[in-house]
Amino acid sequence: MSDDKNLPAVKDDGEHHGAVEVAEPIPDPGLEPHEPRITDIDPKAANRVERQVSGMFGLATLLVLGACVAYFAIPRDSILQFGPLTGNANNMVMGLCIGLALFLIGAGAIQWAKKLMVDEEISEDRHAAHSSPEQIAEITEAFKQGTAESGFTRRKMIRNSLIGALGVLGLPAIIFLRDLGPLPGRSLYNTIWAKGIRVVNDVTDRPIKPSDLIVGQLVNAAPANLAPLQEENPTEYQNAKAKAAVIVVRIKPSEIRTKPGRENWGIDGILCYSKICTHVGCPISLYEQTTHHVLCPCHQSTFDLADSAKVVFGPAARPLPQLPLALDSEGYLVAQSGFHEPVGPSFWERG
């Protein structure tokens, strides 16, 4: 025989033969009696915790300011070594200062909530997702009550130290903007092209003569003063090349529709345009001889080189800038001047 004394209670209701009602196997334990915290009954303990929290917020403020000082005081190339591990001293000190500051703000907020804010256990039924005007008013009143009970307005030491710690957290973000580099100024509007600069083949660096080009040919080119920068200043070389790259094309003069004021910008059907798309700055060289269209491979902006490189399709907002050409005393193609408009992608100041 089996032992039935531990089975749930069975109840026959007389209508459903054998129907059972299972009792709860574990009784509701309820809530343990609420015990006040030491800070609720001892004002000295509460004041001690207030000083602790304010100290955390104050130390966080000093650490953030320390990160700002370290940014300027510690050389960028200084190295810290811990056994086999090495790291940049500037970055490590700033990271530790800001990390500890954030930790102290979080720890202080937790200590404040656990030891000083009102300690009450409450429960309520789940309500509908949409709040009625009465509920909104009740929530607003509860928020005001919570603000008062948190002591945010009453405990000025904690409030002011927290505001100070959070306020200075934005300071490093402003100071560290320096690492983005110097402001561009007018550099976005200018290239190294200037009067008398020869046009050279981008691959061979050889200067170009009109006789080197046949009708329908397109050549990637660059200014002759670009190559020396590669040895002198590689970074400046890359920046200059990104803006000064051009394409040189030869079209039958009878098929060219010259824009007023540009009648002398070409040499026997040879025209020169910026290679940089005016949409987002992709390099352009996909040329279709029959239509004189050049296509940007990124977003399919299409420009008509026979008609001042105007946009005929795609998202580009303006034509490719044209470089006016001339011949020097040796018969090589040279620039009459720099570009008359900024090269590269459009932005809010270019329309």
Side-chain angles (χ1 to χ4, degrees):
M1 296 179 62
S2 61
D3 187 359
D4 297 335
K5 64 181 181 179
N6 292 325
L7 293 177
V10 178
K11 179 181 178 181
D12 190 344
D13 59 5
E15 296 178 2
H16 301 84
H17 302 289
V20 298
E21 179 179 331
V22 180
E24 290 289 341
I26 300 176
D28 184 358
L31 296 176
E32 295 181 359
H34 178 72
E35 296 183 4
R37 305 165 301 184
I38 188 173
T39 52
D40 295 331
I41 58 179
D42 185 356
K44 291 184 178 180
N47 292 336
R48 184 168 58 250
V49 172
E50 181 178 5
R51 290 192 296 270
Q52 291 173 356
V53 174
S54 300
M56 292 182 189
F57 292 158
L59 183 56
T61 302
L62 294 178
L63 285 169
V64 173
L65 294 176
C68 297
V69 173
Y71 179 79
F72 294 103
I74 301 177
R76 300 299 180 85
D77 56 353
S78 59
I79 301 297
L80 285 178
Q81 186 166 2
F82 301 94
L85 303 177
T86 60
N88 183 278
N90 189 286
N91 291 341
M92 291 181 67
V93 172
M94 289 191 300
L96 285 173
C97 287
I98 295 178
L100 287 173
L102 292 172
F103 171 79
L104 287 173
I105 291 175
I110 293 173
Q111 182 78 339
W112 179 13
K114 292 185 66 175
K115 298 295 182 66
L116 294 178
M117 292 186 183
V118 173
D119 182 28
E120 293 182 1
E121 296 175 352
I122 60 175
S123 62
E124 61 180 352
D125 295 333
R126 179 175 295 180
H127 54 74
H130 179 267
S131 300
S132 65
E134 293 78 10
Q135 290 173 324
I136 294 175
E138 183 180 351
I139 292 171
T140 303
E141 181 61 30
F143 177 79
K144 294 179 180 178
Q145 180 181 353
T147 301
E149 292 177 348
S150 69
F152 189 77
T153 56
R154 179 166 53 87
R155 297 186 182 274
K156 296 182 179 180
M157 184 185 298
I158 289 181
R159 180 192 64 194
N160 294 339
S161 59
L162 175 61
I163 292 175
L166 293 177
V168 298
L169 274 178
L171 190 59
I174 298 174
I175 293 178
F176 297 166
L177 288 175
R178 177 190 176 193
D179 280 349
L180 296 178
L183 294 174
R186 298 290 300 177
S187 62
L188 296 178
Y189 293 84
N190 304 313
T191 69
I192 61 174
W193 283 105
K195 183 177 181 180
I197 299 297
R198 281 182 173 178
V199 182
V200 299
N201 189 293
D202 189 33
V203 177
T204 63
D205 286 335
R206 293 179 56 186
I208 300 174
K209 287 185 175 182
S211 58
D212 296 331
L213 301 173
I214 62 174
V215 173
Q217 184 178 4
L218 182 143
V219 174
N220 293 307
N225 57 346
L226 177 64
L229 286 176
Q230 191 166 11
E231 295 293 336
E232 299 171 5
N233 190 332
T235 300
E236 183 60 30
Y237 167 78
Q238 294 295 338
N239 292 333
K241 185 174 183 179
K243 295 188 295 181
V246 294
I247 50 177
V248 179
V249 63
R250 188 160 198 170
I251 304 172
K252 290 182 180 179
S254 60
E255 297 178 354
I256 297 176
R257 297 177 292 281
T258 305
K259 192 174 182 178
R262 300 185 180 184
E263 290 81 2
N264 65 337
W265 283 23
I267 305 295
D268 296 332
I270 299 174
L271 305 173
C272 183
Y273 296 99
S274 170
K275 182 182 174 69
I276 311 304
C277 179
T278 56
H279 178 218
V280 292
C282 297
I284 296 175
S285 61
L286 301 177
Y287 182 56
E288 187 178 54
Q289 295 182 9
T290 56
T291 61
H292 312 304
H293 292 173
V294 65
L295 174 71
C296 174
C298 293
H299 304 98
Q300 287 69 58
S301 293
T302 306
F303 305 87
D304 187 353
L305 300 186
D307 192 6
S308 301
K310 75 175 184 180
V311 182
V312 295
F313 180 79
R318 58 194 181 93
L320 296 174
Q322 184 175 357
L323 184 71
L325 295 177
L327 295 178
D328 64 9
S329 58
E330 298 181 40
Y332 291 105
L333 294 176
V334 297
Q336 293 185 29
S337 64
F339 287 100
H340 289 206
E341 55 186 310
V343 303
S346 301
F347 53 88
W348 56 91
E349 294 178 359
R350 292 183 182 173

